Each structure stands twice: as structure tokens, then as C-alpha cells.
Amino acid sequence: MCGIVGYIGTEEAVPVLLNGLKKLEYRGYDSAGIAVLGKPGLVIRKSKGALKQLEEKVAAELKTGDGASLSGAMGIGHTRWATHGEPSDINSHPHTDVSGKIAVVHNGIIENHGKLKAWLEAHGVIFRSETDTEVIAHLIDFHYNGDLLLAVVEALKRLEGSYALGIICENNPDRIVAVRKESPLVVGSGRGENLIASDVPALLEYTREVYYLEDREIAVLYRDRVEFYNEEGQGCKKESSHVDWDVSAAEKGGYEHFMLKEIHEQPKALINTLRPRIKTYAVKSINLEEIGFDGSWVEANRVVITACGTAWHAGMIGKYAFEHFARIPVDVDIASEYRYRNPVFNPRDIFIIISQSGETADTLAAMRMARKSGARIIAITNVVGSTLAREADLVMYTWAGPEIAVASTKAFTTQLLCIYLIALQFGFLRGTIGGDVLADYIDALENLSAYAARILDGKENIQRFASRQFNKSKVFFLGRLFDYAVSLESALKLKEVSYTHSEAFAAGELKHGPIALVDESTLVVALCTQSSLFDKMDSNIKEVKARGAATAAITYEDVDYFDKTVDEVFRIPHTLDSFTPILSVIPCQLYAYYCAVQRGLDPDKPRNLAKSVTVE
Ligand code: M6R
């Protein structure tokens, strides 16, 4: 989704803005632009395509000496992910009012922009772009009477939808006004300089003191201070937060791509997620006191899990885990479906909402529905201070570190670890798991990090396999129980980054339709880690083989059951069948990554996708 940066200080703004936008590239975009306010007034440069094109445009201008107009110590910048109007220079942000004195960058969707546009046109405004954003610039101008904050407060009253906004005005050259509703925006407070950004990595070179804006909260940034206001324009106080992770955590660190780096970070991320939650006194136990999880939570009659994409797949594994360990009914739902259904709530339901970013629009909407019903909410998220984290009753952070690649990898495996911990503690507190058994389960969880590292050590096997198979036009992943959910995640990874047509099937469903698709052009990857179902999986593999498919299996390193059936076996260390998803997904993540690279694609920036889907 779109990325926003803003700077006010003593440095030249252009390099700061371009640098910040670079840090937000992972969010996905199709054009970029900046507005700088200096001696010559408000100057705007935009470019369709990669940020590099904007950089080249600006560099060429600076080289020829025409760059003086780009000199100024304040400005705003934007990477646009098109929603209203095609990617083009004219539709790129910043957008201005008719006179060109007010510039606006926006992330989100203004739902009533059609109505507002008609109203503004009736007042003589001539629109230049097809965007919903342009109405904001004109509205602010409509209400502008010398005070930018007041004009923004008035304009906001008319806006419906979601927005994070950075606004500057030629007549108020000492301030940036920023506000958000349902789209992320962070304020960074430095020495003699202040910044805004859609995400923390864009701020870290300048400051670690940040303010996470609440919905409808307004920040006014001056060089030497930041003031906060509510939506009525009344001043309010706000506490800053200190970011303690390093800027290098958000950089590639020698890997060719973020996706590969993040796949390799999983052993460490699993330790970071697990360690603070384990007590190792006499008998090992789970410590969820830090998040306020006590006995009252396990009185629930039902657990409802909602999420999108990869996080939804984590939720499916959560269903199996809760049923298995805690013997409690679980519903798991795609957030974008859930929010438009008419679900039956029960006051004794608890909700688990999973989101790497904590900003996914559909997921937040589902959470708010649950909240309205009176249900209690546990959030599992990776982003400290995200909207989800702030609105839930309990937050369990995944502590995976920043995930930059669009394709989620380490967020998924750490989400799974969080879910296992909650499900096990649920079972323990409900009496379905005894203390000694729990300690054994914890031992098994503690082994997973080293096991993940072992799988990564053998990555060349997957790379070789991908170099032979990357051109397959159809790849199907098959599995049963926990393996079925991993199949869904594996198919998503492969389609996201390599654009291969890949699907996942519950292996038992094969004969009910999907087998009609299988022919010589198909690769079938069978996930085979559910020991009681090995014979069933073996039959399924033989069925697809008989129809000409190439086959591979992922199974335990001490199991030779499938050696004679499939063309290729990938092995993972032996753990509990119910914990295998954390391991078995890793070969599939690697396979997706290597297929993308073989196809000459950039796995970090898949076409049409954005890291954080903050609009519907
Ligand atoms: O930030 P979230 O976990 O809420 O994001 C949900 C999905 O958009 C996300 O998992 C998406 O499917 C990823 N691209 C998967 O790799």
C-alpha cells in the first residue's frame, strides 16, 4: 500500500524524503512523488514507475543547476499503490489545491470522494487527476483561512473512509500537519528535526523516539517540537515510545533479497518468540502473565480466529491446535468474509485476531465487529504499536523483527508458535493437559529453532529441485490435517512470488474433483507429516503419479515410507505431528523463493501486491 514520509528540520529535505521512501518500497507501489517547500515556494516532482525514476529525474535537475528550486528543509513524499485511477504522473501524489499552495499525500481510500468531488465542482473547482485524494487538497483549501490546522479539522469532518495524511502549505512554511484514521502513520521526534512515516524503518536513521498516532489524532510538526490535537483541534498530550530494534534489522544484511533473509531469520525469531514465555523452574511451564492471560480466558465456550492471507493459514493451524490440545470448539474465518456475514456471537466467545502488520483493513474491521458484540480479544501481531495491538484486550507479539518482503515467512512461523503457546496454556488451565505432558510439549517447542536451522542448512537440495521444476505450469500441494493448512500456505507463497499457478487440496478431496486437473504438466508436492495418515497420503501420491504428475514429498528424516513412491523426498527433523507446520513450511518457502529467482523475478516485490493491505 502507499507509503508516506514527511520531514521538517535543517537538512535538505529531498535526500531525506527519497531515503525514507526507499525504506517503504516494500509496501508495494507503482509511482512516487515529493513536494518540497523552500525559498521558491512549493515544488512538486512525480514519476510513474519505480522510485529510481523519480530519483533520476531529481538528480538530473540538481546536476544541471536547475535544482535550486528543489532546495528546502521541509517536504512530504509518497509512494502510490493505485486504487482510483491508473498509475501515472498525474495521479501520483502529492496532490494540490487549485492554486498549488497546499500539498497532500494520502494513504487510504476516501469513500465519499464522488459526492465531495461533485460538491467541489459545483463550487468551481477543476479536478486534474482521477484520484480520491485530490478532493482532500481542495477541501482543505476550501476551509483555509490562514490556519492550516483549523482547515484540516474542518476538512476531516467531511471525509468518510480511511486516511493517513501529510499536509504542507506554502503560507505556513514552518509546519507539517499529519493525521490518520484506519491507516498507519508514525511521528518521529529528532533533535531540531521531526518526521512522519507510514512505518518505523523510514525513521530509524533520524530518531528512535516515535509517537504512534491514534485514529483521528492530529500532529503538527515544527522543527523543534510536535504538538498533538484531537479531531476537534483541541490540544492533547501524548507519550512517545522508544524503538529498540536496529536499522540493520530492516536491511538485507548480505542476502540477495529480504525474503531469503527473513526465511533464514526464522531460527532466531522462534527463540525470541518462545523464550520470554517459558518458565524453567522445577517443571517447565508457559508464562503468559506478561500479556495478562489468566484463568478467566479459558472459561470461554468457543474460540473464533479471524485473519487474512498467510495469517489466516496460521489461524487454520490454530483451529487444529486448539481442538487437539484444549478440546474447545474453534471457528476460523477469513476476515473479509467475516465482516460482511451475519455471524452468531456468544458473550463467552473469545477472539484471536492474527495480523503481521496489525493494520490490515479487513482484519481490523472483523476485530471491531467482535468488540461491538462484547467479545474479548487476543491479538497476535508483529508490529508494536499497530492499530490491532492498541485496540485488542491482550497482545501477544511475535517478536519476529521487521518483515519487509511482501511474502510473509518468519511472521507465519512465529504466529504459529504464539498460537501453540496459547492453545497449550488453554489446555493446561482447562485440565486437558497435565503439567508433565506440558513440559514435554515445551521441550518439543524448544527444539524447533535448531530443527529449522538444520532444514536451512540443506537448502541447496531445494534450490536444485527448483532449478529443474521452476517452469512447471501447475503445482499442487496436498496434505491432511496440519499438513493441509501448510499446503494452503505453500501454494500461496509460490503463486505470490513466482506467479506459478499453484493450488492446495485436502488430499482426501482429490477424488472429488481436483484430480481432473492432474496431467504430465503437473508437479504435486505432498506434505506427509501426519503419521497416522501415511498410508492415505501414499495412495493419493500414487493416484496422481498414475496420471503423469511429477511428485515430491516432505516428511520426517527418519521415515522412508515415501522413498519408493515419489520422485524426490525432502526431509525435516522429527517433531510432534501437531508441531510440524513450523518446520514443513520452510522447504516450501525456499522452493517459492528459488522458483521466483529462476524465473528472473524479484521475490521481494511481487506484481500487484502490497505488504500491508490497509484498504479493502
Ligand atoms: O499484515 P497481515 O498479516 O494482516 O497481512 C495479511 C495478508 O495480507 C498477508 O498475509 C498476505 O497474504 C501476504 N502477502 C502473504 O505472504
Side-chain angles (χ1 to χ4, degrees), residues 317 320-321 324-325 420 441 444 448 480-484 486 528-534 555-556 558-559 572-584:
I317 291 164
Y320 293 138
H324 183 68
F325 295 119
Y420 286 130
Y441 286 150
L448 293 176
R480 290 166 183 262
L481 307 184
F482 287 93
D483 285 340
Y484 170 47
V486 176
C528 304
T529 73
Q530 305 299 295
S531 310
S532 63
L533 295 167
F534 280 172
T555 191
Y556 293 124
D558 52 355
V559 165
I572 60 168
H574 208 138
T575 181
L576 295 185
D577 288 359
S578 40
F579 291 161
T580 51
I582 289 183
L583 301 179
S584 59

Side-chain angles (χ1 to χ4, degrees), residues 307-313 354-361 363 380-381 383 388 403 405-409 411 415 489 492-493 496-497 606 609-613:
C308 297
T310 288
W312 172 63
H313 299 151
I354 310 171
S355 171
Q356 187 284 131
S357 62
E359 301 292 351
T360 300
T363 306
I380 297 178
T381 184
V383 179
L388 177 61
E403 191 181 68
V406 167
S408 193
T409 53
Q415 282 162 358
E489 173 57 9
L492 176 67
K493 258 346 41 117
E496 278 188 300
V497 299
L609 295 180
K611 179 66 182 162
S612 178
V613 185

Side-chain angles (χ1 to χ4, degrees), residues 116-227:
L116 290 172
K117 185 174 177 188
W119 181 78
L120 285 160
E121 279 172 338
H123 284 80
V125 173
I126 294 166
F127 278 77
R128 288 157 298 204
S129 76
E130 302 160 274
T131 66
D132 53 336
T133 303
E134 199 182 331
V135 298
I136 305 173
H138 297 305
L139 263 188
I140 295 172
D141 175 49
F142 184 84
H143 291 288
Y144 186 74
N145 219 347
D147 185 328
L148 187 58
L149 173 64
L150 284 185
V152 171
V153 167
E154 286 309 311
L156 293 182
K157 291 181 184 160
R158 296 178 187 268
L159 296 182
E160 288 167 20
S162 58
Y163 46 79
L165 299 172
I167 306 148
I168 54 177
C169 174
E170 213 170 70
N171 301 346
N172 300 96
D174 60 345
R175 70 198 72 173
I176 298 176
V177 176
V179 59
R180 61 153 258 163
K181 183 186 156 234
E182 295 165 19
S183 286
L185 198 62
V186 193
V187 175
S189 159
R191 286 203 178 160
E193 57 186 9
N194 291 301
L195 303 98
I196 51 169
S198 298
D199 199 359
V200 172
L203 301 174
L204 285 183
E205 261 176 56
Y206 310 96
T207 181
R208 287 169 175 282
E209 290 307 306
V210 301
Y211 295 90
Y212 297 102
L213 288 183
E214 300 291 337
D215 264 3
R216 298 191 171 87
E217 211 167 32
I218 304 171
V220 183
L221 289 78
Y222 299 89
R223 279 181 183 85
D224 57 348
R225 66 189 191 284
V226 184
E227 295 171 355

